[in-house]
Amino acid sequence: MHLASLRCSFLSKVQKFSVSYCSSPLNHLKQEQDDWYRQKNQERKENEEPSIGSPARIQKLIASQSDPLLAKEIFDLASRQPNFRHSYATCHTLILKLGRSHHFSLMEALLPNLKCHHYSISPSLFAHIIQIYGDAKLPAKALKTFYTILEFNIKPLTKHLNQILEILVANNNFLRPAFDLFRSAHKYGVSPNTKSYNILMRAFCLNGDLSIAYSLFNQMFKRDVLPDVESYRILMQGLCRKSQVNKAVDLLEDMLNKGFVPDTLSYTTLLNSLCRKKKLKEAYKLLCRMKVKGCNPDIVHYNTVISGYCKVGCAADACKVLEDMPSNGCLPNLLSYQNIVGGLCNQGMYDEAKSYIKVMMAKGFPPHFSVVHMLIKGFCKIGRVEDACEVLFELLRYGNSPHADTWAEILPRICESYDTEAMWDILKRVLKMEIRPDTKIVDSVAYDRSSAPKHCTVSGWMQGQDSTDLEIDTTKMFLLTEFTYDLDKSNAQTCKVQSTASNLVDTIRLDVYIQPWECFSYMHLPTESTRLANEYFNEFGHVTIEDLEAVFKEVEDEEDKYKLGLVLIYERILRAKMGTSIEMDVLNIVDNLELFNKYPWAKMFHIHLFMGIGES
């Protein structure tokens, strides 16, 4: 018993030793196999292309690309990855990106892939594609897209139909295909709506096929499609284009009877047509009915009727319409007043026109130069130059600029008058005005050193302490000095008194002279021309005002006559020195009207006025 147990113990130890001895080579062999498989797997991974990412990452990457061709390369690279499937959002994004950049062939090549991979396609994709073709002016491709929708077993929507109809009718060559598609739409399960009918009705009206448009309008009621305000307006516009304004008015009545409230554009269409047909009474009645029928007339409606009255010579009626506007909640604008003034002038009602000119300028409406010219020309033709000058005065007072033709109209009328003193009272209000800085015709003098006067004289005399006489005795005056104010020096400048002036004085006087040609030295204007002087006054030694007037009456060139007239006004009115020589520099400057108009004539008037008072 004891020997048996010892034997078992010994055999057990020997067996354990044998097993451990035999398992050591097997473990080593397994380790080598694992290393070999691991190395092969690593080599296989190294030979394979790297993973590009998830479909969501690809979609974001493609959406962020500004270059559509680069986005297409990314799409193709991802497609080559094993077991990789793009998301529908990625395909949708790339298709639109390619289409909007006009890579139509690439875009169209992607569409079959959507069908092959059984994507769930959104109908909005085809709506975008149709719009892309429409923006690219490719109606044939847009129409083909409609049938492509059917190939994807998708039911087209009414939105798709209306999109394609709008694209097709924009081209007259596709008007018939658009009509055929409209008539066959029910075969594809698409029901045209009110917008569909309106699109075709408008197209046929613009094409002159009013009968087809009327037929479509009547079909709407048969197919339980309710027309809207736009439907009626389209037909009314078509009737008015055919000069069938009475039928258009009847259609308006039918519209009102059916409970529709016409919009402002419908009334505008009828008012325009009635005024063109010179049916002003009907137009005015329609204008008055608008508010009762729930549509308040606006400025366009009032101006349409006002313009219509003025065109047929009924400016007085137009004035009544204008006066009624504020009580109806609509204020006249610039066009309202200009129509009134033009109509009144055409009928010779210049006084009324002048009053409206004053009103519109007081309200901040600058009249067009043509309206002012019409009024001034009218006054000049009937010999009322004073009223013409008054209009000109109002125009300048509000900083507005008359046209050159207006000056050409009024200048000869002024020059025809030989009573200079009478014309003085008329024009002094125009010439003496302080023109605002924003005035277009002349610029005011700026009150700084750059505009300081240049030529100065200092005179002196013995006034006496007990003298109470305020008048200056010019016989006692004598010149002390004459100097030029230097603009480049400081404000305070000194001058020397002439040594010959040895008389005692207790009063001095400073005279400042500004000559026109000197003022331009700091204005940086173009050099004046001597053409007028050489052409018309070359034989004169000293050109007097009488010489200027004689040449003015004989010259035939209208532009030169206008320029000489400006110089004549300057000499006769502004300087008011009869019988003396004219200032040739002004004659040279006026040949450049831009240069002449930039001179501050209003300021010069004051200077000449006070100089004249001092000399008198």
Side-chain angles (χ1 to χ4, degrees):
M1 183 76 178
H2 180 70
L3 290 173
S5 62
L6 288 174
R7 183 183 177 196
C8 292
S9 175
F10 175 77
L11 290 174
S12 175
K13 290 180 180 179
V14 171
Q15 188 177 7
K16 287 182 180 179
F17 174 79
S18 300
V19 170
S20 62
Y21 175 80
C22 294
S23 64
S24 177
L26 292 174
N27 290 338
H28 180 72
L29 180 62
K30 183 179 180 181
Q31 182 68 31
E32 289 180 352
Q33 289 177 347
D34 291 342
D35 293 341
W36 184 83
Y37 281 118
R38 190 179 299 109
Q39 183 179 359
K40 289 295 182 180
N41 189 35
Q42 183 67 25
E43 291 177 357
R44 182 176 60 81
K45 289 183 177 180
E46 290 177 356
N47 292 330
E48 289 180 353
E49 294 182 359
S51 176
I52 197 169
S54 65
R57 181 171 178 265
I58 296 299
Q59 194 272 334
K60 292 180 180 179
L61 190 61
I62 289 177
S64 64
Q65 295 301 317
S66 58
D67 186 355
L69 297 179
L70 179 58
K72 180 65 167 58
E73 289 184 10
I74 296 173
F75 181 88
D76 294 337
L77 178 63
S79 301
R80 291 194 293 268
Q81 300 301 308
N83 301 322
F84 186 89
R85 176 183 169 89
H86 287 289
S87 66
Y88 171 73
T90 304
C91 299
H92 187 111
T93 302
L94 182 59
I95 287 173
L96 298 186
K97 191 178 287 290
L98 291 171
R100 287 165 181 164
S101 59
H102 290 191
H103 294 289
F104 299 123
S105 59
L106 295 176
M107 179 189 72
E108 292 166 359
L110 287 174
L111 291 177
N113 292 334
L114 295 177
K115 189 176 180 181
C116 293
H117 290 85
H118 305 289
Y119 285 104
S120 178
I121 303 173
S122 171
S124 64
L125 173 64
F126 293 101
H128 288 302
I129 294 175
I130 291 170
Q131 191 59 50
I132 287 171
Y133 283 133
D135 295 338
K137 303 295 188 295
L138 297 172
K141 286 186 175 292
L143 181 59
K144 183 180 178 181
T145 304
F146 180 83
Y147 298 106
T148 303
I149 299 175
L150 301 173
E151 295 175 2
F152 281 79
N153 297 322
I154 298 175
K155 180 182 177 181
L157 303 176
T158 306
K159 177 177 69 174
H160 297 139
L161 175 64
N162 293 341
Q163 262 190 312
I164 295 176
L165 289 178
E166 287 183 332
I167 294 170
L168 295 178
V169 300
N171 190 322
N172 286 336
N173 296 329
F174 286 86
L175 184 56
R176 180 55 60 181
F179 193 38
D180 293 339
L181 177 63
F182 172 82
R183 290 189 297 181
S184 61
H186 65 280
K187 296 180 181 179
Y188 311 111
V190 183
S191 299
N193 59 8
T194 303
K195 184 177 180 180
S196 310
Y197 281 93
N198 289 346
I199 293 171
L200 284 179
M201 285 165 55
R202 181 184 295 106
F204 282 114
C205 284
L206 293 175
N207 199 46
D209 299 321
L210 193 58
S211 59
I212 301 178
Y214 246 111
S215 176
L216 287 170
F217 182 75
N218 293 327
Q219 283 182 17
M220 295 177 71
F221 296 97
K222 296 178 182 179
R223 298 184 178 180
D224 296 328
V225 179
L226 187 65
D228 57 9
V229 174
E230 186 179 1
S231 306
Y232 282 95
R233 186 180 68 244
I234 290 170
L235 276 185
M236 283 190 281
Q237 290 173 337
L239 290 168
C240 290
R241 290 191 191 96
K242 292 287 187 177
S243 299
Q244 300 178 20
V245 64
N246 292 333
K247 289 185 178 180
V249 174
D250 293 339
L251 192 61
L252 177 70
E253 295 296 333
D254 179 66
M255 181 181 182
L256 293 170
N257 293 334
K258 286 187 167 90
F260 290 98
V261 178
D263 59 358
T264 57
L265 189 55
S266 301
Y267 282 108
T268 303
T269 300
L270 290 177
L271 289 174
N272 271 321
S273 186
L274 289 170
C275 290
R276 283 198 303 268
K277 286 289 187 178
K278 299 182 180 180
K279 296 184 177 183
L280 277 307
K281 289 184 179 180
E282 291 83 350
Y284 182 70
K285 289 180 181 179
L286 182 61
L287 183 68
C288 296
R289 287 182 59 194
M290 287 181 63
K291 192 170 185 179
V292 179
K293 296 300 181 179
C295 182
N296 293 326
D298 58 20
I299 189 64
V300 176
H301 302 125
Y302 280 107
N303 284 346
T304 300
V305 177
I306 289 173
S307 177
Y309 272 124
C310 292
K311 287 179 180 179
V312 298
C314 298
D317 294 322
C319 293
K320 293 178 182 178
V321 176
L322 183 75
E323 300 302 328
D324 291 340
M325 290 177 65
S327 61
N328 291 324
C330 185
L331 298 178
N333 63 0
L334 174 63
L335 185 60
S336 309
Y337 286 109
Q338 288 192 155
N339 285 332
I340 290 289
V341 173
L344 291 171
C345 289
N346 287 332
Q347 293 184 244
M349 304 168 67
Y350 301 114
D351 291 322
E352 292 82 355
K354 184 176 72 173
S355 65
Y356 277 108
I357 280 282
K358 292 181 179 180
V359 170
M360 67 185 296
M361 287 194 291
K363 291 185 176 182
F365 297 128
H368 192 263
F369 66 83
S370 61
V371 177
V372 177
H373 178 74
M374 188 185 302
L375 180 56
I376 290 178
K377 183 178 180 180
F379 275 130
C380 290
K381 280 188 175 180
I382 61 176
R384 295 172 60 178
V385 183
E386 295 183 9
D387 293 290
C389 290
E390 186 176 349
V391 174
L392 190 61
F393 166 77
E394 287 294 319
L395 194 70
L396 293 173
R397 188 163 71 91
Y398 285 98
N400 297 311
S401 172
H403 193 265
D405 291 342
T406 306
W407 288 110
E409 184 69 36
I410 198 172
L411 287 178
R413 310 287 181 175
I414 296 173
C415 296
E416 287 174 1
S417 175
Y418 292 92
D419 188 357
T420 308
E421 294 181 1
M423 296 309 298
W424 170 264
D425 294 332
I426 298 174
L427 289 183
K428 69 180 181 179
R429 290 177 297 170
V430 175
L431 298 176
K432 75 178 181 179
M433 293 176 53
E434 288 292 341
I435 307 298
R436 297 202 306 265
D438 58 348
T439 302
K440 299 176 182 177
I441 191 168
V442 291
D443 294 329
S444 60
V445 177
Y447 294 97
D448 54 21
R449 286 191 67 250
S450 64
S451 61
K454 295 181 65 177
H455 294 283
C456 307
T457 59
V458 180
S459 305
W461 68 95
M462 179 61 70
Q463 182 75 16
Q465 295 181 355
D466 300 330
S467 175
T468 59
D469 190 2
L470 297 179
E471 293 186 2
I472 301 174
D473 187 359
T474 56
T475 59
K476 297 180 180 180
M477 290 175 54
F478 56 90
L479 181 66
L480 292 176
T481 186
E482 183 176 3
F483 67 94
T484 300
Y485 188 90
D486 193 343
L487 299 178
D488 296 328
K489 295 183 179 180
S490 63
N491 290 354
Q493 299 182 24
T494 60
C495 59
K496 294 183 179 181
V497 177
Q498 296 179 9
S499 59
T500 54
S502 57
N503 301 50
L504 295 176
V505 299
D506 61 2
T507 306
I508 61 172
R509 165 178 165 172
L510 174 66
D511 288 306
V512 178
Y513 298 94
I514 300 180
Q515 300 298 337
W517 56 93
E518 295 166 353
C519 293
F520 287 102
S521 62
Y522 59 83
M523 294 179 71
H524 307 290
L525 297 173
T527 307
E528 61 269 16
S529 169
T530 59
R531 183 187 65 85
L532 292 176
N534 295 334
E535 186 170 344
Y536 297 106
F537 303 100
N538 194 26
E539 59 185 21
F540 294 90
H542 296 282
V543 182
T544 64
I545 296 178
E546 287 74 16
D547 297 331
L548 175 63
E549 183 177 350
V551 173
F552 170 79
K553 291 180 179 179
E554 295 177 0
V555 68
E556 295 181 357
D557 187 274
E558 292 184 1
E559 185 176 356
D560 287 351
K561 193 178 188 72
Y562 167 64
K563 293 176 181 179
L564 294 176
L566 289 174
V567 180
L568 193 58
I569 285 184
Y570 170 76
E571 296 290 345
R572 278 277 188 87
I573 307 300
L574 194 59
R575 292 186 69 211
K577 291 186 177 182
M578 299 295 293
T580 61
S581 299
I582 68 171
E583 293 178 350
M584 296 300 294
D585 296 271
V586 178
L587 184 66
N588 297 337
I589 291 171
V590 78
D591 199 28
N592 186 336
L593 289 177
E594 180 183 0
L595 183 70
F596 185 84
N597 287 335
K598 288 184 177 180
Y599 183 76
W601 296 110
K603 197 68 181 176
M604 279 299 299
F605 167 78
H606 289 292
I607 296 171
H608 281 294
L609 177 62
F610 288 111
M611 288 173 59
I613 293 174
E615 292 175 359
S616 62

